[in-house]
Amino acid sequence: MELEQALPKYFGYTTFRPGQKEVIEAILQEKDVIALLPTGMGKSLCYQLSGYILQKPVLIVSPLLSLMQDQVEELKRFGEKRVVALNSFLTITEKRYALHFLEQYRFIFTSPEMLLQPQVQEKLSQIKLGLIVVDEAHCISQWGFDFRPDYLRIGQWFSQVSRPPVLALSATATEKVVKDISKTLSLNNPFEFMYDVDRPNIHLGRVTFEDKADKAQWILQHIKKTAGPGILYLSSRKRAEQYCEVLIQAGIRTAAYHAGYGAEDRQFIQQQFIDGELDWIVATNAFGMGINKPDIRQIIHETMPANVENYMQEIGRAGRDGQPAIAILLYSEGDEELAKFVVTGDLPTSGHVERYQELLNQRLQPSQMLKNGELSETAFRVLNFWLQQESVEQVKARLNQLALEKYRAVDEMKKINQTKDCIRAQLVGYFGQKLQKKPENCCENCGIHYDEINKVRLEEERKIEMIPWESRLKQLLMGN
DNA sequence: CGTACGGATGCTAGCATCCGTACGGTGCGCTAGT
């Protein structure tokens, strides 16, 4: 079937968005594909349409349970019932059922961890998949090496089995991350589609403080007098909670969000924000992946993220509706030190590597290092992964190298923040692209008119004024 | 690695300095114990 006929048949659209056609054509020619498309540009259509044309199950590896649930719901809303999220939300019975009938699903979502379970692997070896999708594929590079090693194991599995084409999807990846993806997934000369990383409607602000203490004042004043919805990113859970409290006292509808809260609370807060019941989310980097709220107007970073990729991901959540939005990066001297500590703080040390191996040599359980608090859960798993395949010396060298790379990444972030040239050009350059066109409201160094944002806010307020009285009354009665 | 904060000390009554301590992100799946 021709692609142009398939699109209206399955989705009702008449034209493709940039990249979709190229990506799907490559998949249908059984090529591996790495596609960098901005969120909201119809990434999921690439594998959905391919699945329908191929008439075979599509396996989607997703980093977050909540993301899987969202996508499953979306497909079901769309009328597709042959969808399953194979993850720990399922009871034993449900899981057994899903596995037994796995080939009858059209779209199978799962996590790297679940994918590697022997029973899942065994079932997958018996069925014929049409396509494997690795969603948010930058996670391989960002998390695989020191946080979720199972991201590297799926690559090892790919290289051992005969498999259908693999489609790796991401919104932001540097040349190095693309290389990491291609290498760890053992992709075979992949077709690469790169969309512009620049987001011209997001103005790039920067404010530098001599005195750290002035930051808090600035943030409070700024949020009071400008428009939400917005996300304020902090680099610690505690500070997120503190800022949240201050903003609530100032009468701003705010909630804090970090990984210390339970899944239900997090779900609830996220939903309130999406529904417009909260204006600001004060969060660690736990917040954001999979958030599809079109009208986020501001992203403020109280301290710089640990790398430029994270920065791009985080500011990229603003202005998905195409309306003006602003990202402001605050800086005071020494901010990079906290970032450096945080990204390397949980890496196993040389001492840990030696002790782990020593316990193995003595035929003792290395997990005792977990129980006595010597190692964190994460560090333990990372050590376990690397020592399975490399010598003590190699692992030590690898971990040192990893720490150095992480330091370098922080320095790159600082460099872009401190540049005297166009911040946007630097940012785009970091992703190996050249800035095509400077928007009118570009960045701090080119000059920004901050009041653009307030214009949007005024229009929003006017819209609220125009809600007819019946629905206002209903809102009041419903307690909204 | 750097900062914030509390308490003790030091030299002369309230304030400066010093020292020790605590704190710092991201998620999956599974299990034991409430």
Side-chain angles (χ1 to χ4, degrees):
Chain A
M1 190 190 311
E2 284 297 316
L3 274 185
E4 268 78 6
Q5 294 157 353
L7 184 66
K9 181 182 171 200
Y10 292 106
F11 290 91
Y13 304 137
T14 49
T15 51
F16 285 101
R17 287 179 142 182
Q20 289 176 332
K21 193 176 170 206
E22 293 89 330
V23 168
I24 297 169
E25 275 173 351
I27 293 167
L28 297 180
Q29 290 165 27
E30 306 211 333
K31 283 186 186 152
D32 291 335
V33 180
I34 300 178
L36 304 190
L37 294 169
T39 316
M41 287 294 278
K43 271 193 300 231
S44 45
L45 185 133
C46 293
Y47 63 78
Q48 288 172 6
L49 187 57
S50 302
Y52 287 126
I53 294 174
L54 290 164
Q55 293 289 313
K56 280 181 198 157
V58 176
L59 177 74
I60 302 114
V61 184
S62 172
L64 298 183
L65 299 179
S66 60
L67 211 59
M68 285 179 224
Q69 302 300 120
D70 289 348
Q71 282 162 327
V72 165
E73 269 170 40
E74 195 193 306
L75 276 162
K76 284 192 174 160
R77 247 199 323 273
F78 204 75
E80 180 54 80
K81 291 196 173 61
R82 296 165 299 171
V83 201
V84 67
L86 192 59
N87 59 34
S88 59
F89 286 163
L90 300 183
T91 63
I92 304 257
T93 322
E94 289 169 333
K95 187 177 164 191
R96 208 173 290 148
Y97 179 89
L99 277 175
H100 191 257
F101 294 107
L102 202 60
E103 63 268 37
Q104 303 193 10
Y105 294 101
R106 179 64 71 215
F107 300 104
I108 305 157
F109 291 85
T110 195
S111 65
E113 288 82 3
M114 183 63 78
L115 178 62
L116 290 159
Q117 289 188 357
Q119 37 179 336
V120 178
Q121 298 240 302
E122 197 199 323
K123 183 68 196 183
L124 283 174
S125 68
Q126 296 161 9
I127 69 178
K128 264 211 147 2
L129 294 170
L131 174 68
I132 298 176
V133 181
V134 181
D135 201 8
E136 308 287 353
H138 57 276
C139 291
I140 293 169
S141 177
Q142 195 181 330
W143 282 351
F145 299 100
D146 63 335
F147 185 53
R148 285 175 76 176
D150 284 347
Y151 256 109
L152 305 186
R153 288 194 176 103
I154 57 175
Q156 297 173 349
W157 175 62
F158 282 177
S159 66
Q160 288 157 12
V161 294
S162 75
R163 56 158 179 85
V166 171
L167 167 64
L169 290 170
S170 177
T172 46
T174 58
E175 288 162 358
K176 183 189 172 290
V177 172
V178 168
K179 221 180 275 172
D180 279 343
I181 292 171
S182 182
K183 196 176 159 206
T184 49
L185 292 182
S186 316
L187 298 188
N188 186 11
N189 190 24
F191 169 70
E192 293 179 11
F193 185 88
M194 314 281 165
Y195 195 77
D196 280 351
V197 292
D198 184 39
R199 298 280 307 280
N201 63 316
I202 303 175
H203 317 325
L204 303 171
R206 174 194 56 206
V207 185
T208 304
F209 297 85
E210 293 286 322
D211 189 347
K212 272 193 193 327
D214 295 341
K215 255 191 200 171
Q217 263 310 311
W218 185 94
I219 290 172
L220 182 60
Q221 292 309 319
H222 177 87
I223 289 182
K224 269 182 169 172
K225 67 178 194 227
T226 58
I231 308 171
L232 171 62
Y233 277 111
L234 284 303
S235 47
S236 90
R237 296 175 177 188
K238 202 170 154 190
R239 292 172 79 91
E241 288 176 22
Q242 287 166 346
Y243 268 100
C244 177
E245 208 166 298
V246 169
L247 290 177
I248 287 173
Q249 274 171 18
I252 291 156
R253 301 185 303 168
T254 315
Y257 186 106
H258 57 66
Y261 297 124
E264 278 178 25
D265 290 343
R266 293 170 64 169
Q267 185 73 39
F268 182 63
I269 291 167
Q270 183 174 318
Q271 200 52 51
Q272 279 191 307
F273 183 59
I274 289 171
D275 293 344
E277 290 159 18
L278 290 168
D279 293 314
W280 282 86
I281 294 286
V282 184
T284 61
N285 62 355
F287 186 77
M289 212 191 289
I291 297 285
N292 221 340
K293 182 173 170 61
D295 62 342
I296 297 176
R297 297 269 72 84
Q298 297 202 59
I299 308 285
I300 301 177
H301 282 90
E302 196 256 358
T303 45
M304 67 168 86
N307 56 57
V308 184
E309 288 93 324
N310 284 4
Y311 181 65
M312 206 63 171
Q313 284 267 338
E314 285 160 11
I315 67 172
R317 285 161 196 151
R320 300 243 169 104
D321 55 9
Q323 295 292 307
I326 191 161
I328 309 176
L329 177 53
L330 307 186
Y331 180 79
S332 58
E333 207 179 326
D335 282 355
E336 62 274 17
E337 299 304 331
L338 175 61
K340 283 184 182 173
F341 180 84
V342 165
V343 291
T344 54
D346 207 24
L347 284 179
T349 62
S350 291
H352 289 140
V353 182
E354 281 163 14
R355 174 137 170 76
Y356 190 106
Q357 187 61 47
E358 202 184 297
L359 288 169
L360 280 183
N361 293 346
Q362 294 170 10
R363 300 183 180 275
L364 294 169
Q365 288 295 328
S367 60
Q368 64 178 264
M369 295 172 76
L370 256 181
K371 290 180 196 114
N372 63 22
E374 212 177 319
L375 265 184
S376 72
E377 176 91 34
T378 305
F380 176 78
R381 239 198 311 280
V382 168
L383 268 186
N384 175 48
F385 175 77
W386 289 113
L387 280 172
Q388 269 176 15
Q389 45 202 312
E390 291 182 348
S391 73
V392 168
E393 289 311 312
Q394 281 171 320
V395 175
K396 282 204 281 192
R398 176 181 288 282
L399 291 169
N400 280 333
Q401 185 61 31
L402 205 56
L404 279 177
E405 275 167 27
K406 284 175 178 278
Y407 280 160
R408 242 198 313 266
V410 175
D411 288 335
E412 287 290 326
M413 184 65 237
K414 184 183 172 187
K415 214 169 89 191
I416 288 179
N417 175 47
Q418 312 245 292
T419 183
K420 292 190 169 63
D421 305 324
C422 173
I423 300 173
R424 185 177 305 273
Q426 297 281 310
L427 204 53
V428 169
Y430 180 86
F431 289 92
Q433 298 186 358
K434 210 168 144 52
L435 185 60
Q436 299 300 324
K437 185 170 174 285
K438 226 176 244 204
E440 202 178 315
N441 252 321
C442 181
C443 70
E444 197 69 43
N445 291 338
C446 300
I448 302 185
H449 310 294
Y450 278 80
D451 47 338
E452 273 278 327
I453 301 300
N454 289 318
K455 232 186 277 168
V456 176
R457 181 190 207 181
L458 287 174
E459 279 163 20
E460 291 293 323
E461 276 171 3
R462 230 168 280 145
K463 260 185 236 159
I464 293 169
E465 293 298 324
M466 285 166 64
I467 297 176
W469 66 269
E470 293 96 329
S471 47
R472 286 204 124 179
L473 183 64
K474 200 172 147 201
Q475 273 181 2
L476 287 171
L477 292 173
M478 303 288 282
N480 290 326

